[in-house]
Every structure is written in structure tokens, then in C-alpha cells.
């Protein structure tokens, strides 16, 4: 089997993944700033890392997955000036900042669980790590890599680069270009250079979120929390750090500088960045007004939506492209994903109910066996090639074709050895459920309920009460389900 390869933003190459302390893997992903409802773009990024977490676990690693909650320090405009995003919302809504944080953290959890994302192992908050952030600021001050200015502490990029730092390497920025770009836009103010960034900011009298520090009342800079929390839970150097592409610069660049400065070594082996969910080619974002909330998608209640889409349809849609490509939202693409998902879900229901018949003597068909083995291999090759879920799904459709043939009888069980059948069954189920996190969406007790209806249906059919038969068919159809009259049995499936 191919080894797992991951595209590392730092080297700009796909690299074979080697865990620092196998079977343990340390994974850190920048979490949300909880000042507003999570939109579908956010869900795409976290789904990509959910796949990474699930796949690493599936292939035997024990992953400590840390995903933070930013509940202080992220300022409007992502820079060092301006209001705190959470503080601003608290003022607007006349609530405590922690009420804002709690409301949107709850929403975030609920949204991610709707889309079947696994919770991380640790979910630390920035406000829970103020002490660590003050300590790291002190550490950087002692090393001459930071300076105090008017009650705020700034990271000194020139000093860092003089001491062997490589600010700009991750994002491929050249320092001189950055300086010319930023000089006009952002006044130097109390900083020595416009590129320097805040580790700790002095709180103005009206600033609500504030903590005492050796430099007076203040609050931490946005980039510092991730350095402190990843260091605390994953150590000086850990395996994988992830986030959306828009966080590469300055957020992740600053994280590297802080960690190298404070702890003397590069913090991360593999940097992974996910591409954006776009709408008509534009990044989905709250500020552009082109974002959907998950509830709007599920209810279909949004001017850009032609119909409602279920959570698993949306998850399936996202996984049909690899995480490093942009993914453009459109009703047509989602409708196609809905069709594909229903076919996949029918296959899942069917293969789960299929058993290899006892006592048959198989005469394995070589061509069928080879096709199944190649598709199984293809599922793993896709995942191992930098989590190319699009390739994996294409191979799942080949497996689905075989499942459908077994279901309708056009492929006989004795054409497959029991071993091949079991491999087909377990690969289809585990890749879908465990690795891709795709499940069949059915209300609880649905199977036994429909069983009852189908037996009524059968009775009406035998009694030739066709008006009743049609009524039951119509009821199923209104729920997107199709009754299937087969040679020796009656079944239902999702209408594809
Ligand atoms: P935020 O709460 O704005 O800090 O964003 C949380 C995460 O969602 C970050 O990793 C962002 O990179 C990511 N994100 C924001 N917008 C999009 C988008 N349109 N597509 C994919 N990821 C996004
Ligand atoms: Zn971060």
C-alpha cells in the first residue's frame, strides 16, 4: 500500500507522513472566533480536518486533536487595532462577552455535530490560558524578541530575523515587499516596524475584556493563544498544524515566529491549509453577505437556495473535492451531490443487510474479483494521496456498482469468494462511516416502521386493493422513498 502523503505548506511538496512519536500524533487546528454563527465555509475547513483525524485514527494512530476556541483577542480587521470581535458584539447585543462566547460556542458544536464531525480531544479557550500568554510574552521580552511600548508588548520581527528567524517562509512573503505593502496602510504608531505584531495589548478604559499583567490591564494578541495552547498540550514540536488558507498569513507566520522565539525550535512538522468554499467564485464570508448558515441550507430558507439539502448531502458535496481545491457552491452541484448521496446510502442499507450465503461453493470470477480488489486499493490510495476524497469516492462508486449487482441478482454470490465479499462489505462500510463520516439519514426506528408499512402494502397488493397500494406508494414518494417490487420480495430505497 502507498504510504500516507500530506502536502506540507512549508516545503510546498507532498511529503510522506512520519509521526514524531508513532503511534501518537499531535494535531492542532485553529478553531473559530465565536462572535457569530458558523457558516458553511467554516464547516468545510473543519470537515477537512475531521477527515484527517478520522483517517489517521483509522490507520492506527492515536491522535491528540486540539482545536481551540478563540474567545478573546481577535480584533475586527484581523490586525492589531480596532475593537475585539467578541467585545463589539457584546456591546451591540447588550450582553456579557461570555454570553456571546457561550451562545456561539454552543451553535458551533451543534452545527459540527449535525454534519457528523467528531469532537476534538481537547478544546482549549484563549481566556482559559491568559497566564500562559503572559508568561510567553515575558519569555520573548527576556530574549530580546519583544518590546514594551505604551503598555503593549510587540513581537520584534527584525530582532527575530537577526537571531536566525525566518518570518515570511511559510507564506512565501519577502520581508521588503511586506514592508512596502504595509507601510502606507498601517501607521507604525507605537510599533518599531509596521510588521511587528501584538503579543499583549493595553486595554483602553472602555475595553471590556481585560486582565491584569506586569504591563497594566490588557488582553492577549490573537496569534499568541495558538502558540501557547499548542505548546501546552502538544509540546515544543508536534506533527500537524492546520487551518484555512486565509490563516497562513499573518496568523500562522506569527505562530511560528513566537514559538521559535520562545521555545527555540520550529513548532510544527507539517502545515496543512484547506482551500475556501466559494459562491460564484468568491470566498464565502459573513462580511461579503454570501454565506449560508447550516440551518438555512437544511430548511432551504435562503434566496440563493432552490431547495432544502440534508446535512449528509452537504457533507458528501464537500468530500467530492479534495481539500486543497476551491469548492464552488451551486444548486446544481448540490442537487448532483444529493443524487450521489442517495445512491451511496441505498448501497449502505443494502450491503449491511447482505450476508454471504452459508454452504455455497463459490467459483470466483477473476474479472469481478480483480475489479473489487482494485477499487478497495483505490479507496486507500485516494486517502493516502493527500486525502484525495474525490478519488476515494470514485472507487466507492465502483464498489457500489458491485453491491447493486449483488442486490438485483445480476452478480451471483458464488461468483465471489466469501473473502472478497467480506472485503467489499467491510471496505464500503468503514470507508464511508468511519473515514468519510457519511451515514444513512433515517429517523430512529425507521426500519421497523417501514417494515410494518411494507407488510400492509403486500397485503393490499395480494387483495388487489390498488387504491391503497397507490396511497402507500405516494406516501413513501412524498418522503423521497421508493417502494421496490422485486421478484420474490418487496423493499424500499431512497429515490435516486
Ligand atoms: P473564523 O471563525 O473566521 O476565524 O474562521 C474559522 C475557520 O474557518 C478558519 O480556519 C477559516 O480559515 C475558515 N474559513 C472561513 N471562511 C471560509 C470559507 N469560505 N471556506 C473555507 N474555510 C473558511
Ligand atoms: Zn490559530
Amino acid at each position: 500500500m502507498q504510504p500516507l502523503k500530506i502536502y506540507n505548506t512549508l516545503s510546498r511538496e507532498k511529503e510522506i507522513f512520519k509521526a514524531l512519536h508513532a503511534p501518537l500524533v499531535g494535531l492542532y487546528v485553529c478553531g473559530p472566533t465565536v462572535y457569530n454563527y458558523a457558516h458553511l465555509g467554516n464547516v468545510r475547513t473543519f470537515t477537512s480536518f475531521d477527515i484527517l483525524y478520522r483517517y489517521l485514527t483509522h490507520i492506527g494512530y492515536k491522535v491528540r486533536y486540539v482545536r481551540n476556541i478563540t474567545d478573546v483577542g481577535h480584533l475586527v480587521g484581523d490586525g492589531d487595532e480596532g475593537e475585539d470581535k467578541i467585545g463589539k458584539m457584546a456591546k451591540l447585543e447588550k450582553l456579557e462577552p461570555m454570553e456571546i462566547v457561550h451562545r456561539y460556542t454552543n451553535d458551533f458544536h451543534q452545527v459540527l455535530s449535525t454534519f457528523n464531525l467528531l469532537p476534538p480531544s481537547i478544546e482549549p479557550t484563549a481566556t482559559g490560558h491568559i497566564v500562559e500568554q503572559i508568561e510567553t510574552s515575558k519569555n520573548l521580552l527576556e530574549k530580546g524578541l519583544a518590546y514594551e511600548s505604551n503598555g503593549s508588548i510587540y513581537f520584534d520581527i527584525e530582532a527575530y530575523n537577526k537571531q536566525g528567524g525566518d518570518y515570511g517562509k511559510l507564506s512565501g512573503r519577502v520581508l521588503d515587499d511586506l514592508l512596502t505593502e504595509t507601510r502606507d496602510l498601517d501607521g507604525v504608531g507605537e510599533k518599531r516596524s509596521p510588521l511587528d505584531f501584538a503579543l499583549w495589548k493595553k486595554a483602553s478604559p472602555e475595553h471590556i475584556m481585560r486582565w491584569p499583567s506586569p504591563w497594566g490591564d490588557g488582553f492577549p494578541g490573537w496569534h499568541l493563544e495558538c502558540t501557547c495552547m499548542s505548546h501546552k498540550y502538544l509540546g515544543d514540536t508536534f506533527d500537524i498544524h492546520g487551518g484555512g488558507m486565509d490563516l497562513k498569513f499573518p496568523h500562522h507566520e506569527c505562530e511560528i515566529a513566537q514559538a521559535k522565539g520562545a521555545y527555540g525550535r520550529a513548532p510544527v512538522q507539517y502545515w496543512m491549509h484547506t482551500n475556501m468554499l466559494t459562491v460564484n467564485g468568491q470566498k464565502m464570508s459573513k462580511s461579503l453577505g454570501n454565506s449560508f448558515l447550516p440551518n438555512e441550507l437544511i430548511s432551504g430558507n435562503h434566496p440563493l437556495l432552490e431547495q432544502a439539502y440534508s446535512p449528509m448531502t452537504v457533507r458528501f458535496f464537500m468530500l467530492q473535492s479534495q481539500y486543497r481545491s476551491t469548492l464552488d457552491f451551486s444548486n446544481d452541484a448540490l442537487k448532483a451531490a444529493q443524487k450521489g448521496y442517495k445512491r451511496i446510502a441505498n448501497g449502505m442499507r443494502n450491503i449491511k443487510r447482505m450476508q454471504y450465503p452459508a454452504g455455497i461453493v463459490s467459483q470466483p470470477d477473476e474479472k469481478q474479483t480483480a475489479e473489487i480488489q482494485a477499487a478497495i486499493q483505490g479507496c486507500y490510495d485516494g486517502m493516502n494521496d493527500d486525502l484525495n476524497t474525490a478519488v476515494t469516492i470514485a472507487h466507492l462508486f465502483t464498489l457500489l456498482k458491485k453491491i447493486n449487482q449483488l442486490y438485483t441478482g445480476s452478480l451471483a454470490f458464488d461468483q465471489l469468494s466469501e473473502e472478497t465479499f467480506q472485503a467489499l462489505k467491510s471496505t464500503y462500510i468503514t470507508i464511508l462511516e468511519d473515514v468519510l463520516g457519511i451515514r444513512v439519514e433515517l429517523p430512529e426506528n425507521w426500519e421497523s416502521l417501514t417494515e410494518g408499512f411494507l407488510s400492509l402494502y403486500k397485503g393490499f397488493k395480494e387483495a388487489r386493493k390498488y387504491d391503497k397500494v397507490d396511497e402507500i406508494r405516494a406516501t413513501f414518494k412524498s418522503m423521497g422513498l421508493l417502494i421496490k417490487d422485486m421478484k420474490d420480495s418487496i423493499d424500499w430505497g431512497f429515490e435516486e
Side-chain angles (χ1 to χ4, degrees):
M1 198 184 291
Q2 303 278 332
L4 170 61
K5 284 191 186 156
I6 285 181
Y7 182 87
N8 190 347
T9 309
L10 208 51
S11 65
R12 287 155 183 75
E13 273 176 19
K14 276 188 212 169
E15 294 177 19
I16 293 180
F17 176 70
K18 283 202 196 87
L20 280 170
H21 309 286
L24 308 179
V25 170
L27 166 64
Y28 186 92
V29 173
C30 293
T33 305
V34 281
Y35 70 105
N36 212 330
Y37 293 111
H39 64 67
L40 205 66
N42 307 133
V43 175
R44 184 190 186 201
T45 281
F46 296 118
T47 303
S48 302
F49 291 110
D50 183 56
I51 297 292
L52 172 68
Y53 178 39
R54 285 168 176 274
Y55 190 59
L56 288 170
T57 308
H58 175 71
I59 58 178
Y61 290 108
K62 291 191 186 324
V63 186
R64 179 177 291 167
Y65 176 16
V66 184
R67 190 185 65 209
N68 69 303
I69 294 280
T70 297
D71 56 355
V72 70
H74 195 171
L75 306 185
V76 175
D78 294 351
D80 287 336
E81 300 301 330
E83 272 187 273
D84 185 293
K85 290 187 179 192
I86 287 158
K88 182 178 174 187
M89 199 55 108
K91 266 190 214 154
L92 268 174
E93 302 211 18
K94 298 197 169 47
L95 293 172
E96 275 292 316
M98 281 303 127
E99 278 180 289
I100 296 291
V101 164
H102 201 64
R103 174 192 293 170
Y104 296 113
T105 303
N106 282 345
D107 167 74
F108 178 69
H109 288 155
Q110 200 218 317
V111 164
L112 295 200
S113 108
T114 301
F115 289 97
N116 201 24
L117 275 78
L118 297 173
S121 334
I122 306 178
E123 197 173 47
T125 62
T127 55
H129 298 76
I130 298 291
V131 171
E132 288 82 352
Q133 295 177 81
I134 292 176
E135 286 307 308
T136 307
S137 301
K138 281 199 229 162
N139 175 343
L140 290 167
L141 277 170
E142 278 160 22
K143 296 202 164 95
L145 293 172
Y147 55 91
E148 183 182 352
S149 177
N150 191 27
S152 293
I153 309 294
Y154 292 99
F155 189 89
D156 186 336
I157 290 183
E158 200 183 317
Y160 169 68
N161 276 1
K162 270 194 191 139
Q163 287 190 25
D166 48 9
Y167 190 82
K169 185 177 171 206
L170 177 76
S171 55
R173 314 260 169 147
V174 179
L175 231 50
D176 285 343
D177 294 350
L178 277 174
L179 272 169
T180 21
E181 275 169 32
T182 47
R183 190 159 282 150
D184 298 336
L185 303 174
D186 193 359
V188 177
E190 54 193 32
K191 299 185 201 175
R192 287 183 192 161
S193 154
L195 294 187
D196 295 349
F197 57 90
L199 299 170
W200 185 263
K201 284 284 287 182
K202 177 183 179 167
S204 57
E206 67 278 8
H207 198 97
I208 330 176
M209 302 177 85
R210 54 203 299 140
W211 289 263
S213 82
W215 318 287
D217 272 9
F219 58 94
W222 173 35
H223 315 302
L224 191 55
E225 57 172 286
C226 289
T227 295
C228 294
M229 297 190 281
S230 59
H231 181 257
K232 176 162 181 169
Y233 300 109
L234 300 172
D236 281 353
T237 303
F238 56 94
D239 297 289
I240 307 174
H241 191 314
M245 292 232 302
D246 53 343
L247 296 185
K248 225 189 278 181
F249 185 86
H251 186 58
H252 291 159
E253 201 73 74
C254 297
E255 273 190 50
I256 294 177
Q258 291 166 155
K260 272 193 181 170
Y263 317 118
R265 46 199 293 195
V268 175
Q269 298 284 100
Y270 304 87
W271 281 93
M272 289 177 75
H273 290 99
T274 58
N275 215 325
M276 296 289 111
L277 179 68
T278 57
V279 183
N280 299 322
Q282 253 190 338
K283 175 186 167 186
M284 179 180 282
S285 88
K286 276 164 216 149
S287 50
L288 290 172
N290 64 354
S291 62
F292 309 116
L293 298 183
N295 280 341
E296 292 167 337
L297 264 175
I298 294 165
S299 65
N301 196 1
H302 189 282
L304 280 171
L305 297 173
E306 289 171 14
Q307 62 166 79
Y309 302 99
S310 78
M312 282 301 116
T313 296
V314 178
R315 186 168 173 118
F316 190 67
F317 160 71
M318 291 182 175
L319 300 184
Q320 278 177 318
S321 73
Q322 200 238 10
Y323 73 90
R324 281 198 298 125
S325 343
T326 51
L327 173 62
D328 198 50
F329 175 90
S330 74
N331 280 284
D332 286 348
L334 265 170
K335 282 182 202 161
Q338 176 172 317
K339 224 174 157 54
Y341 165 66
K342 286 189 175 181
R343 288 173 61 201
I344 286 280
N346 275 332
M348 177 81 94
R349 257 194 89 232
N350 293 339
I351 189 77
K352 278 193 172 172
R353 294 178 297 163
M354 268 180 220
Q355 299 297 341
Y356 195 75
I360 60 167
V361 181
S362 68
Q363 287 180 320
D365 178 315
E366 273 177 33
K367 187 165 167 275
Q368 294 286 356
T369 307
E371 278 174 21
I372 291 172
Q373 281 169 351
I376 291 174
Q377 181 66 44
C379 286
Y380 282 93
D381 289 348
M383 293 309 294
N384 286 334
D385 184 14
D386 195 25
L387 307 180
N388 198 335
T389 48
V391 169
T392 299
I393 288 175
H395 288 289
L396 280 174
F397 273 109
T398 305
L399 296 181
L400 173 65
K401 198 168 132 200
K402 304 295 169 198
I403 293 168
N404 289 343
Q405 288 172 345
L406 285 170
Y407 179 72
T408 57
S410 64
L411 175 65
F413 280 92
D414 65 6
Q415 287 177 273
L416 304 179
S417 69
E418 179 164 11
E419 197 188 349
T420 305
F421 171 79
Q422 296 303 356
L424 163 69
K425 181 170 179 170
S426 75
T427 306
Y428 190 80
I429 296 172
T430 35
I431 293 283
L432 273 168
E433 287 188 341
D434 297 356
V435 176
L436 301 183
I438 296 287
R439 59 180 175 211
V440 178
E441 285 171 325
L442 285 175
E444 229 176 292
N445 299 327
W446 186 253
E447 294 286 358
S448 49
L449 205 71
T450 47
E451 222 171 85
F453 272 109
L454 288 191
S455 102
L456 273 176
Y457 175 89
K458 191 162 171 255
F460 287 136
K461 231 180 129 185
E462 282 162 4
R464 295 171 190 272
K465 292 190 176 166
Y466 293 117
D467 54 333
K468 294 284 176 208
V469 166
D470 288 346
E471 228 174 84
I472 297 182
R473 279 193 151 276
T475 308
F476 270 65
K477 196 167 166 56
S478 71
M479 292 183 287
L481 310 176
L482 209 64
I483 295 184
K484 299 179 182 177
D485 295 284
M486 303 203 289
K487 216 165 57 192
D488 312 310
S489 60
I490 296 169
D491 197 5
W492 66 267
F494 296 100
E495 197 175 11
E496 291 172 5

